Amino acid sequence: MIFLGDIAHPFSSAPLWPDPVWSTQNVIANLEGALVPNSQPIELSRCLYNRVAVLEAMERYNVTAVSLANNHITDLPAQYEYTEEKLLNSGVLSFGAG
């Protein structure tokens, strides 16, 4: 099992991370900020969040669970339920907040 640090990806295209050596192992990551639809404008300048495009990379790199217990998950409080829904629909378990 691999533990991956903070993920914050505010871009509309999926990230291209280097091919990991752990591609066959389960990965747990810290999702540093809520998920936001790719088309939704964000007007706050001081917040961390992830566009839903990050889910493509999480699937590609075998991220099977994410921690939501961090100081940025509620930077966009209206997105918390959306985040849980998108994670659930993507087969990614979440824990640590709620």
Side-chain angles (χ1 to χ4, degrees):
M1 184 168 293
I2 301 294
F3 292 90
L4 185 62
D6 301 347
I7 297 176
H9 186 76
F11 309 103
S12 296
S13 59
L16 296 174
W17 299 330
D19 285 332
V21 296
W22 67 75
S23 61
T24 61
Q25 296 186 42
N26 289 329
V27 176
I28 297 174
N30 181 44
L31 192 64
E32 190 74 17
L35 293 171
V36 176
N38 288 340
S39 60
Q40 179 178 330
I42 300 297
E43 297 179 15
L44 299 174
S45 61
R46 295 192 154 255
C47 70
L48 289 180
Y49 61 94
N50 290 277
R51 294 290 181 183
V52 293
V54 76
L55 291 173
E56 292 175 43
M58 289 169 55
E59 181 180 344
R60 187 179 322 123
Y61 298 109
N62 207 28
V63 175
T64 56
V66 294
S67 171
L68 302 178
N70 61 67
N71 58 322
H72 292 287
I73 196 64
T74 57
D75 282 0
L76 300 169
Q79 294 303 123
Y80 180 77
E81 287 185 25
Y82 177 81
T83 298
E84 284 192 318
E85 177 185 323
K86 288 306 245 184
L87 291 169
L88 183 63
N89 291 340
S90 297
V92 177
L93 301 173
S94 65
F95 61 92

